Amino acid sequence: MLRAGTSILRRTLSIRSYATASSPHALVFLEHQQGELDSASLSALTAATQLGGKVTGLVVGGPDQLPIILDKAKKHGLDTLLHAASPQYSTLLPETITPLLQKLLSDTTPFTHVVSAHSSSAKSILPRVAAKLDVPAVSDITSVEHDASTNSTTFTRPIYAGNAISTVRASSSIPIKFFTVRSTAFSAAISGDTEAESKTLDPVEVSDSPSEHVKTLLTKSDRPDLGVASRVVSGGRALKNAETFQATLYPLADALGAAVGASRAAVDAGYADNSLQVGQTGKVVAPELYMALGISGAIQHLAGMKDSKLIVAVNKDPDAPIFQVADVGLVADLFEVVPEMVEKLKQ
């Protein structure tokens, strides 16, 4: 693997004054859905603890959403849990969440770092807040280390579809260091017996938001969620059409208790919903088992799954790039191999 040169972010700010912290104090933006904390946010919480200082959580939501989620969030090793309730926060829109964060982080804020998962919502919110405060943001980090002696933080993050690793150092001249976390690089924080102190924040109402949430469309499935599943069965363009994709992959996924994924080629061809896409422009996964069936192994796909613990590939082409990263490779016709595997698993 190539290792890119170190980039150093320096910015001299003279407009705002910030409190000087003797040790890091991270603010973690915690996302939730249907009464559960997102697993990716719990991975961001783990990354925040590696800074070596205090960790404060921030939860926002509608008045009917927060009571359930607060009881769960307080038990994940936080020092303090901040929360704000408003009908405007029922769905995360950058235009409505940004003013709250901007107010919380302005002037003499105690926070030295702002952390979140590298989610669709946070990728819109955190850079926006950072720009408002005139500081840079580092995205999709896979490691973090804080040097208290120099008050600088060093990150690594993948670039060029994961073919190189960039090392980025945010120096002491950056008063608040923003970064998003690749969830597959950090284990999710576990729940404990100790509860964090809870504090209420007044919401910052936005009366003229240029955006509004219309509706949310979710793909319902009895199978595990692709982003957090321990086993994933993915199919490529070789599966011919949507009917064949389902008839071939779904029985195997059900037999393994696995989630179903797809390559971009399969999604673009209409074989699978785009919520199942694995790769650079889809979801990044790192399950215990990843099965690539009829997937050639384009670099964009490998960027989303090559950190899997065990990669099994089935392809008719012995020169397919997927075999370069596979732990177990089988040159065979998937339409013969998959039904046989299903029968063996049912025995």
Side-chain angles (χ1 to χ4, degrees):
M1 179 174 286
L2 301 176
R3 188 166 294 276
T6 301
S7 302
I8 301 177
L9 302 179
R10 291 190 177 93
R11 184 73 60 86
T12 302
L13 301 178
S14 57
I15 299 176
R16 295 181 177 84
S17 61
Y18 295 85
T20 301
S22 57
S23 64
H25 190 169
L27 177 68
V28 184
F29 183 64
L30 299 170
E31 299 178 58
H32 55 92
Q33 293 185 34
Q34 300 176 346
E36 296 290 340
L37 285 168
D38 284 358
S39 175
S41 288
L42 295 178
S43 295
L45 178 53
T46 297
T49 61
Q50 294 183 7
L51 292 167
K54 292 183 179 180
V55 179
T56 295
L58 172 63
V59 176
V60 300
D64 58 331
Q65 298 172 330
L66 284 193
I68 298 175
I69 205 66
L70 288 179
D71 289 337
K72 298 178 181 180
K74 287 189 291 187
K75 299 178 180 180
H76 281 85
L78 295 167
D79 294 292
T80 308
L81 179 63
L82 306 178
H83 56 92
S86 169
Q88 285 192 334
Y89 300 158
S90 296
T91 47
L92 298 180
L93 293 177
E95 293 85 354
T96 56
I97 303 297
T98 296
L100 175 67
L101 281 166
Q102 188 177 358
K103 178 182 177 181
L104 184 61
L105 297 169
S106 295
D107 302 325
T108 56
T109 178
F111 302 113
T112 60
H113 297 77
V114 180
V115 191
S116 78
H118 193 62
S119 65
S120 297
S121 297
K123 284 189 288 186
S124 298
I125 296 170
L126 254 66
R128 187 185 185 96
V129 178
K132 290 280 189 179
L133 298 177
D134 197 27
V135 295
V138 183
S139 63
D140 203 20
I141 66 107
T142 53
S143 74
V144 58
E145 182 179 358
H146 184 75
D147 186 348
S149 63
T150 61
N151 195 28
S152 64
T153 307
T154 303
F155 312 93
T156 60
R157 57 185 301 272
I159 57 175
Y160 302 124
N163 283 299
I165 300 297
S166 174
T167 301
V168 182
R169 183 163 64 249
S171 67
S172 59
S173 64
I174 301 174
I176 304 178
K177 300 164 178 66
F178 285 74
F179 63 96
T180 62
V181 174
R182 176 171 289 200
S183 60
T184 57
F186 298 88
S187 60
I190 59 175
S191 179
D193 297 327
T194 305
E195 291 192 1
E197 179 187 5
S198 180
K199 295 183 178 180
T200 303
L201 297 178
D202 293 329
V204 179
E205 300 294 339
V206 179
S207 60
D208 56 348
S209 174
S211 301
E212 66 173 307
H213 177 258
V214 178
K215 61 181 178 179
T216 300
L217 297 176
L218 298 175
T219 302
K220 295 183 179 180
S221 174
D222 294 330
R223 299 183 184 87
D225 179 69
L226 177 60
V228 297
S230 61
R231 301 170 183 173
V232 175
V233 175
S234 283
R237 187 159 41 190
L239 285 152
K240 300 179 180 178
N241 53 53
E243 292 75 17
T244 306
F245 185 95
Q246 296 179 16
T248 305
L249 263 61
Y250 287 11
L252 179 59
D254 292 339
L256 289 169
V260 173
S263 67
R264 178 174 178 175
V267 171
D268 288 347
Y271 301 175
D273 186 81
N274 59 11
S275 64
L276 302 183
Q277 183 176 323
V278 174
Q280 185 180 9
T281 54
K283 293 184 177 179
V284 177
V285 299
E288 296 294 325
L289 170 66
Y290 187 88
M291 299 190 71
L293 306 175
I295 295 176
S296 63
I299 188 173
Q300 292 86 355
H301 186 77
L302 299 183
M305 47 67 69
K306 65 182 181 181
D307 290 331
S308 303
K309 308 302 182 293
L310 178 66
I311 301 173
V312 177
V314 178
N315 201 295
K316 289 171 64 175
D317 181 6
D319 297 321
I322 190 69
F323 290 125
Q324 297 178 14
V325 298
D327 300 290
V328 179
L330 178 61
V331 180
D333 187 338
L334 70 90
F335 296 110
E336 297 176 358
V337 171
V338 173
E340 186 176 350
M341 284 194 290
V342 173
E343 288 301 319
K344 293 289 186 182
L345 288 167
K346 287 182 178 179
Q347 292 178 1

